[in-house]
Amino acid sequence: MNELKKHFPAIQENEVLATYTTFQVGGPADFFYRLTDNRELPRLIQAAQDAQIPYFLLAGGSNVLFDDAGFRGLVIKLEDAEITVQNEQITASSGVTVAKFLQTAVDHALTGMEALVGLPGTIGAAVRGNAGCNGLETKDILLKATIFNPETGKTTEESPEYFDFDYRYSKLKESPEIVLQATFQLQKRTQTPEEQLSTMQEIRSKRVKAQPFGLSIGSFFKNPSKEITPKAAGQLIDEAGLKGKTIGKAQISEKHANFMLNLGGATAEDIKQLARLARDTVQKQSKITLHEEVQILSPMGKTAL
């Protein structure tokens, strides 16, 4: 560890992770580093591997549930926020928020991404999980992405086909590869700036009306395949009679049953127990298995619900 801190003196120790997630739960990470320049990432990961320290890449914190005991290793917070525009293409580093990306598009009279307004998180996480809403997914506008593979030490530029995109999925979820930056293809705006902003405001308003306010990560479970059922995960949980159900300070939202809320002071265990109750009750009543959309971490790394 001394060698790691020698090369990266800004590494913090015992940093509470709740601060960095939209759920606002999670204990301390042994080590924590704000990565503001993605060019440092290969060297940082190599140093962690040499020191035999596990690491986890944290983006916007809107799709992760840390354990109450924290994380026994190094959490790398991706904060490289470089963004450039060339003609009708926007290239954004992994740490750029979706909100900043959208504002940049508006500022440069580009359109084609309005449906993503209100989507939390960062560009890197959006590519990794093929994030989307209102009928638009990240893959629909992605032109290419630069990724780093810690196993080979190589950085490569890949086309969308490389990622095997599916609903809330890319193959990066099954590999150690990390998105460094991504380029998106948009179009020149044909409407007035006021009309574009009005469209985005309408989409944002619909999102606010449909989704509950509070400390949450958004949808906890993926919607089942349409081949299995036309019902969304929230509808299945609602039909299981669990809307408003609480465990500790965690609640299944009364407004949207696929949202787990931290009412203030919830623990990660409260939320996991509530999610397990929802999953098991739906399985018992509907014979459908719900799969979590959120990344759930134990103190030693990724785990299952």
Side-chain angles (χ1 to χ4, degrees):
M1 181 57 203
N2 289 337
E3 191 67 21
L4 183 60
K5 290 203 73 172
K6 175 182 175 182
H7 295 290
F8 297 92
I11 286 178
Q12 302 165 257
E13 297 187 39
N14 298 315
E15 183 72 4
V16 175
L17 296 168
T19 308
Y20 302 97
T21 73
T22 56
F23 248 146
Q24 294 285 284
V25 300
D30 288 348
F31 311 107
F32 186 89
Y33 187 74
R34 298 175 183 272
L35 184 74
T36 57
D37 185 345
N38 281 346
R39 290 173 295 185
E40 288 188 323
L41 186 61
R43 191 165 62 93
L44 176 60
I45 289 179
Q46 185 61 57
Q49 291 174 334
D50 290 345
Q52 297 185 321
I53 296 174
Y55 64 89
F56 176 77
L57 280 295
L58 175 64
S62 62
N63 198 36
V64 61
L65 178 58
F66 285 111
D67 194 89
D68 295 315
F71 184 72
R72 304 285 74 78
L74 170 66
V75 172
I76 303 169
K77 180 72 166 62
L78 300 174
E79 295 187 350
D80 188 327
E82 183 178 356
I83 188 165
T84 59
V85 181
Q86 184 174 15
N87 299 322
E88 297 174 7
Q89 297 174 7
I90 298 179
T91 299
S93 293
S94 56
V96 172
T97 64
V98 174
K100 181 179 178 180
F101 176 86
L102 293 172
Q103 187 58 57
T104 300
V106 171
D107 292 344
H108 288 80
L110 297 176
T111 188
M113 71 309 135
E114 287 81 3
L116 298 181
V117 68
L119 192 70
T122 63
I123 290 300
V127 174
R128 181 180 182 275
N130 190 26
C133 56
N134 302 306
L136 181 70
E137 294 181 315
T138 303
K139 68 177 179 61
D140 298 330
I141 56 174
L142 180 68
L143 184 64
K144 58 186 178 180
T146 301
I147 61 172
F148 170 67
N149 188 331
E151 292 184 343
T152 65
K154 293 182 178 180
T155 298
T156 58
E157 186 176 274
E158 305 293 350
S159 67
E161 290 73 24
Y162 176 83
F163 297 92
D164 294 339
F165 285 120
D166 202 344
Y167 170 68
R168 301 298 179 267
Y169 173 86
S170 82
K171 74 176 188 178
L172 299 193
K173 286 194 168 186
E174 312 295 333
S175 83
E177 295 165 299
I178 301 160
V179 177
L180 299 181
Q181 69 175 29
T183 300
F184 300 87
Q185 181 67 56
L186 302 179
Q187 302 87 43
K188 279 294 182 183
R189 182 173 61 211
T190 56
Q191 72 270 54
T192 67
E194 292 76 18
E195 288 172 335
Q196 184 182 28
L197 290 171
S198 177
T199 297
M200 294 174 70
Q201 183 56 47
E202 184 179 345
I203 294 171
R204 185 183 289 108
S205 296
K206 288 180 179 178
R207 186 180 181 92
V208 169
K209 289 179 181 178
Q211 298 181 356
F213 176 79
L215 301 177
S216 170
I217 55 149
S219 296
F220 196 96
F221 294 103
K222 299 177 184 178
N223 288 326
S225 166
K226 292 290 196 299
E227 297 175 358
I228 297 175
T229 176
K231 297 178 180 179
Q235 184 178 354
L236 292 167
I237 297 170
D238 186 5
E239 290 177 354
L242 293 174
K243 261 190 177 179
K245 174 67 178 177
T246 62
I247 291 180
K249 292 293 184 179
Q251 181 190 56
I252 294 177
S253 168
E254 295 178 341
K255 188 173 186 179
H256 192 310
N258 198 18
F259 279 62
M260 309 288 161
L261 301 178
N262 177 359
L263 299 178
T267 64
E269 189 57 33
D270 289 340
I271 295 167
K272 285 187 280 190
Q273 285 187 27
L274 198 59
R276 284 193 289 264
L277 175 65
R279 180 198 61 192
D280 295 347
T281 305
V282 168
Q283 172 66 42
K284 182 178 180 180
Q285 295 189 8
S286 302
K287 310 303 180 189
I288 294 171
T289 301
L290 296 178
H291 299 281
E292 59 267 22
E293 189 171 321
V294 58
Q295 290 187 82
I296 299 174
L297 274 82
S298 76
M300 305 307 296
K302 295 179 183 178
T303 187
L305 184 61

